[in-house]
Amino acid sequence: MAERGGWSRRRFVGALGGATVAAAVSGCGGRPVSPAPAGGYSSASSPAPSGDASAPATRPAAPTAGSHPGHRPLWLGTYTSAEGGGHGIGLAVYDPVTGRVTGTGTVKGVSDPSYLAAHPDGRTLYAVSEREHGAVAAVRLADRRVLGNRSTGGSGPCHLSVHPGGRWLLSTHYGSGSVAVHPIDAAGALGERTDLVVLSRPAATEGRQPRAHQVVTAPDGRHVLAVDLGTDTVYTYRIDAHAGRLSEVARARTEPGAGPRHLTFHPGGRYAYLANENDDTITVCAWDPATGRLTVGEAQATGSGTGQNYPAQILVTADGSYAFLANRGHDSIARYAVEAGGARLRLLGTVPAAGDFPRQIAFSPDGRLLFAANQRSSSVSVFHVDGGSGALRLAGAPFASPVAVCAVPL
């Protein structure tokens, strides 16, 4: 989507230092929303100052086996500075059989935790603090304690991911167009930044601002890809797994104005799928692990028809048979059959997202449930995933969650 002013895609109004804003989002993020209806997660104490790295988490009705037998934890991202937003990282549990979600509390001490990611060992959760002076935070899952906040060195961090080796946290800045690297210690806590790579402007995009929207590690573990919505470019970096530094090795260009937002690899490791926000398309990309080169294929339909739509995120099933795309505007989840070993996507249809503006989607660890975080309706929809056909079936009424922009089921 075209930017509508301000330092970030969300066009925050007023000071970002702690005041609640009057309008949280423009096109890419969403419109101002009303408070979530009853039944969403709640908080039990006043928020800790955003700069307090040691602020303890609130722990009302913790999702333990004793209180919710058989249930699994669900972590929820929001904007704390948005009208109707949350007070921190939302806590909930879900029934892995029925998909029913129950709110259990809030972890405070992290401002605007709009994107979350778990460590591969399942002991720590990481969150961005999507503010002008960006930061990342670590939360210990065992006791829901914020282990600390670290500056990212850029503005508007909107995405993060953990390197598969578990030693490095990668984050992207939409506001300043850069990628940061932080070390992760044995306890899951974050150290001082080891690298900050500012994306350059390709000559063909003179005058356009880099907008780093996602960073993901390739299946080979040696390459890191940064998706730049602003300049229609995907950058490939080689990561030094000992020093935590990135060196550029390749660039891939999409169609002008495509606005690449989110990339997901096929489990076979030779293809990737790219959701393009601005031109409402999805593309199959060939991946060469030897050189780190991504080759962008032809644009394909998202199933949204002729209306205004902004693709958000794409997922691929663990067996590589089906792919799902979140459509904001059309407010649907598109379903694709993955064919030719990952080289081809065939659109099978769409299902309603059961919410407004599905910003992010995620599978449960067993792949049997799909969660959709609906930003404008402040809700999380849960779908059963048919392993044979890839069909989606809504698992009851959506769960109310303030300005829901990320859902991480564990």
Side-chain angles (χ1 to χ4, degrees):
M1 265 173 285
E3 192 172 328
R4 302 183 186 179
W7 64 269
S8 84
R9 57 191 173 148
R10 284 161 189 84
R11 197 175 63 180
F12 281 97
V13 176
L16 286 171
T20 300
V21 294
V25 212
S26 66
C28 194
R31 67 188 179 217
V33 296
S34 300
Y41 67 78
S42 61
S43 60
S45 63
S46 57
S50 61
D52 183 359
S54 62
T58 57
R59 299 179 59 189
T64 62
S67 57
H68 296 87
H71 284 45
R72 301 289 303 165
L74 176 66
W75 296 77
L76 303 162
T78 185
Y79 286 110
T80 58
S81 59
E83 182 180 358
H87 299 287
I89 301 171
L91 290 172
V93 294
Y94 68 95
D95 185 322
V97 176
T98 67
R100 179 179 174 83
V101 178
T102 304
T104 59
T106 305
V107 169
K108 298 183 179 181
V110 184
S111 301
D112 291 320
S114 64
Y115 203 87
L116 315 172
H119 192 281
D121 66 12
R123 297 188 301 169
T124 314
L125 185 83
Y126 300 96
V128 299
S129 181
E130 190 175 335
R131 295 203 161 190
E132 185 170 6
H133 301 291
V136 285
V139 180
R140 189 166 56 204
L141 297 182
D143 59 3
R144 302 164 187 83
R145 183 178 181 83
V146 179
L147 299 178
N149 297 308
R150 294 287 186 179
S151 169
T152 58
S155 64
C158 64
H159 184 272
L160 48 68
S161 59
V162 182
H163 185 272
R167 292 185 56 195
W168 307 105
L169 182 71
L170 309 160
S171 59
T172 54
H173 302 100
Y174 188 90
S176 54
S178 54
V179 179
V181 185
H182 286 81
I184 300 173
D185 69 18
L190 298 172
E192 291 292 343
R193 188 177 63 248
T194 57
D195 205 358
L196 180 67
V197 176
V198 179
L199 306 185
S200 58
R201 293 187 179 95
T205 60
E206 191 65 34
R208 295 177 59 190
Q209 175 71 28
R211 299 297 188 190
H213 208 294
Q214 183 207 19
V215 59
V216 61
T217 304
D220 57 53
R222 296 180 295 114
H223 295 101
V224 168
L225 290 86
V227 180
D228 180 5
L229 186 150
T231 66
D232 302 319
T233 306
V234 179
Y235 295 82
T236 301
Y237 300 92
R238 187 178 297 277
I239 182 168
D240 184 330
H242 298 287
R245 298 190 64 83
L246 304 175
S247 55
E248 184 180 333
V249 296
R251 299 180 187 182
R253 296 294 311 282
T254 66
E255 288 294 319
R261 174 186 176 94
H262 187 270
L263 181 142
T264 298
F265 279 93
H266 183 271
R270 299 308 297 258
Y271 297 95
Y273 311 109
L274 189 60
N276 300 306
E277 177 176 305
N278 288 348
D279 70 358
D280 187 20
T281 63
I282 184 174
T283 54
V284 178
C285 305
W287 169 250
D288 183 351
T291 63
R293 292 193 175 277
L294 191 75
T295 303
V296 180
E298 294 184 3
Q300 297 181 224
T302 63
S304 64
T306 58
Q308 192 174 51
N309 184 62
Y310 308 102
Q313 183 172 359
I314 187 165
L315 299 178
V316 183
T317 56
D319 64 3
S321 297
Y322 297 97
F324 301 92
L325 176 69
N327 283 320
R328 297 169 300 165
H330 191 250
D331 293 338
S332 66
I333 310 296
R335 179 171 60 106
Y336 297 84
V338 180
E339 301 174 336
R344 188 169 60 243
L345 293 178
R346 178 167 55 89
L347 181 64
L348 299 175
T350 64
V351 297
D356 189 351
F357 226 62
R359 166 82 167 266
Q360 177 260 0
I361 53 177
F363 288 128
S364 59
D366 61 10
R368 296 180 179 179
L369 297 173
L370 183 149
F371 295 75
N374 304 304
Q375 181 172 356
R376 292 181 177 174
S377 56
S378 290
S379 65
V380 176
S381 306
V382 185
F383 296 86
H384 295 282
V385 183
D386 186 294
S389 66
L392 299 179
R393 177 172 56 86
L394 188 64
F399 170 71
S401 181
V403 190
V405 290
C406 187
V408 177
L410 299 178

